[in-house]
Structures are given as C-alpha cells and as structure tokens.
Amino acid sequence: MAAPDPAGAHPTSAEPLSRRIFRKFLLMLCSLLTSLYVFYCLAERCQTLSGPVVGLSGGGEEAGTPGRGVLAGGPRDPAVWPAAARRKRLPPLQRWRRRRPPALRDDGDEVTWEEETPGLAGGPGGSGAGSSVAEAPPATLDLLLDEGSKQLPQAIIIGVKKGGTRALLEFLRVHPDVRAVGAEPHFFDRSYDKGLAWYRDLMPRTLDGQITMEKTPSYFVTREAPARISAMCKDTKLIVVVRDPVTRAISDYTQTLSKRPDIPSFESLTFRNRSAGVIDTSWSALQIGLYARHLEHWLRHFPLRQMLFVSGERLVRDPAGELGRVQDFLGLKRIITDKHFYFNKTKGFPCLKKAEGSGKPHCLGKTKGRPHPDIDREVLQRLRDFYRPFNRKFYQMTGHDFGWDG
C-alpha cells in the first residue's frame, strides 16, 4: 500500500473520462479557430473588429446630425459604431459580391460594363490596362452586414443628358468614400409625391465619412427641381457635366435614332422654318443646351459655390484632372488618379483599369460611343451661331470659358 503524501492525501486515480473528452474538445476547437484565422489572413480578409457587430436603435447621434439630410422620426436604423471604429474598414470582399445589374438611364437604355482585354496601349490615363491599381471599393464587410445607415444624398449629379454623367458617376464609385445609386431615381422630377422617406430608402448604406450620391440628368432642365432639392437640404452639393451644346444635341438625336429609325432627319427637326433659319427651341435636344437659362433657375435657390461644372470634353481628354476637381469639391481625398484610367482608342473615351466591384478593366457598354450621323455643315454653323450668345452668358455666370465657340 502506497504511503500517503506529506499532506496526508492519497494519490488520485486516473483523470476522469469526461474531463479528458472536454480537454480534447477544447483542443480541437482551438485548432479549428486557428486554422480559420490563418486562412482569412492569407486571403487578406482578416482584420480585428472593435465594437458591436449589429444592433438596432430608435435613433441616436447619427440620425439627428444636422446637415446630413436625415429625416426626423424616420425608420429605425441599425446602430452605428463609434467613429474611430467605423473608419477601420475591412478590405473589399469582391468575391462575395454579385455582378451589378444593368442600371437604367433616363432614356431607358441599359448601362452595362464591358470587359476589356488587358494590355491595350495606354493613353492619357497611364501605362496600359494591365497595370495594377490599388483601390478600395466600398463593398466592405460592414456594409455586407447592413452596418451604417441610409442617408439622403449630400451630392447630386443634376445634369446634363448626354454630357458624360454616367461616366463621371462610375469613375467616382471607385472612391471608397463614395456610395451612389446605380439607377437614376428621378425623384425630384417624376416621383416627388412619394416623399423623402421613399427617396432615402433608395440610397445605399453609408459609414461615417462616406458621401451618398445619385445622378439624374433631367433635374437640370426641370423647373421644380431646384426648389425641391433646396427644401430637402440647402447644403446639397450639385454637379453639372456640360458639353458643347451642338455636339450634345447630335448625340441626343443619335440615341433616339437608334431606337426609332423612322424619325425625321436632324436637319428637319432643327428648324421651325429652315428657309428663314428659325431654330426650333421646343425640340428637347436643342432646348437642353440653353445652359444659361437653366442655370438661372438654380441660382435662385443655390449659391454658385455649391455647384461644380465639369467639362464633358475634358472628362474624355483628362479624366484624372476632372476627377481631381470633383474630389476636391466633395471634400474627398484625391484617391482617383491617372493610374485608374486608360484610353480606349476604339471607343474614343477613357475606361477604368478596374471598375468598382471588379478586378478587370472595364468600359461603359455599347450604348456609349455610337458613331454620329453626318450633319449638313450649314446646319451646324447655324446652330453654333444660335448657341454662341447663350454660351458666352454661361461662361460669365460660371466664371469659366469652356471653349465651345472656337
């Protein structure tokens, strides 16, 4: 018989079976968690989360922050994390995202992205489509978990049709601090009676420091839009993409012609009386180009400092330069630079080396870059003479000469 130990206790028997099973279970669980952690780190998906994951709140600081365009007494929003925690966004989980469905433009055209072949010759945008671009689209784990809240837009691209608004919006969506609606909401011209709560529900969720945006080109020529947007928020920033009104009108006509081949010629639609040379400004393709007249309505509700005028021509020649101005106007860090673009010689306009939510070079779809029909030179000269005084007034109002009369 074994002698007792100094404390007078007998040695214990073998460890109980239940305890051994529990220890093995803990060991297996730790191994599994360690393996998962290593896997996500290798996949560049790992980052420490701080703060709660998801919660519900009846309101709070974020919902009541002035100037953010949030409706008082609106729907209950998910609780947001402290600002410091929200800024720690995870890398984009692009593989978890589905391909974005085509967005509908004002005229109903589908706006899709076309994949381009890497290795195309680089134009003004850089060294070529195959270059690596480090960008961070906003498809973070936070947003996938419905973190953040829906806000009314702080910035709106209000026009103009066929000026380059779709390209500008898609370029801006590369920025990690921009969240935008893909399709045109048409709230301030067609659906205003549905109310701001309906409009806000169309918006994507945003985190602290991100900007909510939308674009509807028909707002610029809608008489009621300025007062309605001002009633929503007087601090809303407005972006207008303008283009030579003659070229814009031809592009507008070309788009209509692609859907309705039986429409009259451009020349016959241009004049009320061709022999007298009277321009028909009731035709929307020409009426949109009277930028000075439309701008007068906006300046009754918004100061000029809250409006940015983007040149559609420069957006093609120097997309990074124009995007730099837009980012400054929106108070964003200049993340979108010339390294994000390459020039597609076939289409005749710049494309993204990597679109939002994709790792491949992309261009806007076949509805962009349509060949324009040949227009009688005399008609073109008549139109340029007609637009000249309106253009010059527009230059004076904006303080910038866009060079359309050269």
Side-chain angles (χ1 to χ4, degrees):
M1 185 174 181
D5 61 17
H10 292 280
T12 59
S13 59
E15 186 177 15
L17 179 61
S18 60
R19 183 176 297 178
R20 287 184 303 193
I21 293 175
F22 181 72
R23 290 180 61 185
K24 289 182 178 180
F25 172 78
L26 285 179
L27 182 61
M28 292 175 62
L29 181 61
C30 291
S31 300
L32 177 61
L33 292 175
T34 302
S35 300
L36 287 174
Y37 178 82
V38 172
F39 171 78
Y40 277 100
C41 285
L42 291 175
E44 297 183 354
R45 302 277 196 270
C46 182
Q47 181 170 330
T48 303
L49 296 177
S50 55
V53 177
V54 174
L56 291 178
S57 168
E61 285 186 14
E62 199 68 14
T65 303
R68 292 294 297 254
V70 184
L71 288 175
R76 291 164 63 91
D77 289 323
V80 294
W81 295 350
R86 289 197 301 272
R87 293 191 185 99
K88 297 179 179 178
R89 302 190 192 111
L90 296 181
L93 302 184
Q94 295 177 351
R95 294 183 182 179
W96 291 18
R97 301 193 62 187
R98 295 180 180 178
R99 180 187 174 101
R100 279 188 289 126
L104 291 180
R105 272 208 330 260
D106 178 31
D107 47 39
D109 269 1
E110 286 188 351
V111 178
T112 58
W113 285 95
E114 293 181 347
E115 292 186 1
E116 296 295 319
T117 305
L120 295 178
S127 58
S131 302
S132 175
V133 179
E135 65 226 20
T140 63
L141 181 59
D142 307 301
L143 297 174
L144 290 172
L145 293 176
D146 284 338
E147 182 58 35
S149 59
K150 293 188 176 185
Q151 309 285 344
L152 292 169
Q154 295 91 41
I156 303 177
I157 300 175
I158 60 173
V160 298
K161 181 183 178 184
K162 306 308 295 179
T165 59
R166 172 56 58 181
L168 177 62
L169 182 70
E170 296 303 334
F171 293 164
L172 277 174
R173 292 176 76 175
V174 172
H175 200 293
D177 288 332
V178 171
R179 296 282 289 159
V181 182
E184 295 171 3
H186 283 283
F187 175 67
F188 295 104
D189 58 348
R190 300 179 186 172
S191 304
Y192 194 65
D193 59 328
K194 295 182 179 179
L196 286 172
W198 176 87
Y199 181 51
R200 185 180 70 166
D201 195 53
L202 298 178
M203 301 299 129
R205 293 186 179 275
T206 53
L207 302 174
D208 182 55
Q210 290 184 319
I211 291 177
T212 302
M213 292 189 65
E214 71 115 317
K215 79 105 178 170
T216 304
S218 55
Y219 289 164
F220 188 64
V221 297
T222 301
R223 293 290 293 268
E224 300 82 6
R228 290 172 175 177
I229 295 178
S230 178
M232 176 188 72
C233 181
K234 293 183 178 180
D235 296 327
T236 305
K237 294 185 176 182
L238 308 172
I239 300 175
V240 189
V241 188
V242 288
R243 182 183 183 187
D244 182 336
V246 177
T247 308
R248 197 221 66 81
I250 298 172
S251 179
D252 200 337
Y253 172 81
T254 303
Q255 179 174 283
T256 305
L257 183 65
S258 69
K259 299 176 182 179
R260 297 168 49 198
D262 57 337
I263 63 172
S265 67
F266 181 89
E267 291 83 353
S268 62
L269 291 171
T270 297
F271 299 99
R272 289 183 182 177
N273 186 329
R274 184 166 184 177
S275 60
V278 180
I279 303 295
D280 186 2
T281 56
S282 65
W283 183 28
S284 63
L286 300 182
Q287 194 264 347
I288 291 174
L290 303 174
Y291 303 142
R293 286 187 179 178
H294 303 305
L295 181 57
E296 287 176 346
H297 301 307
W298 288 91
L299 293 180
R300 294 170 188 167
H301 299 275
F302 290 93
L304 194 62
R305 66 177 180 274
Q306 278 179 233
M307 304 184 72
L308 179 69
F309 300 90
V310 175
S311 167
E313 287 83 9
R314 283 200 301 272
L315 192 60
V316 172
R317 295 195 306 266
D318 181 21
E322 286 300 278
L323 264 293
R325 294 179 60 239
V326 176
Q327 290 171 95
D328 292 345
F329 174 70
L330 296 176
L332 298 171
K333 182 179 179 181
R334 284 200 178 196
I335 290 178
I336 306 172
T337 62
D338 59 358
K339 69 182 179 181
H340 288 85
F341 302 98
Y342 73 96
F343 192 80
N344 184 307
K345 295 181 179 179
T346 302
K347 288 183 173 292
F349 54 74
C351 300
L352 287 170
K353 291 179 182 177
K354 290 184 181 181
E356 183 255 350
S358 172
K360 298 181 179 179
H362 280 66
C363 274
L364 288 172
K366 61 180 69 176
T367 62
K368 300 297 183 180
R370 294 187 184 99
H372 291 178
D374 292 329
I375 307 297
D376 187 293
R377 291 187 178 183
E378 180 186 353
V379 174
L380 294 179
Q381 189 58 51
R382 289 278 188 92
L383 279 176
R384 296 200 181 281
D385 294 339
F386 167 76
Y387 277 119
R388 186 171 293 108
F390 295 100
N391 291 344
R392 290 178 178 174
K393 184 176 180 181
F394 185 66
Y395 299 164
Q396 294 174 353
M397 296 172 72
T398 61
H400 185 80
D401 186 340
F402 289 88
W404 298 324
D405 303 315

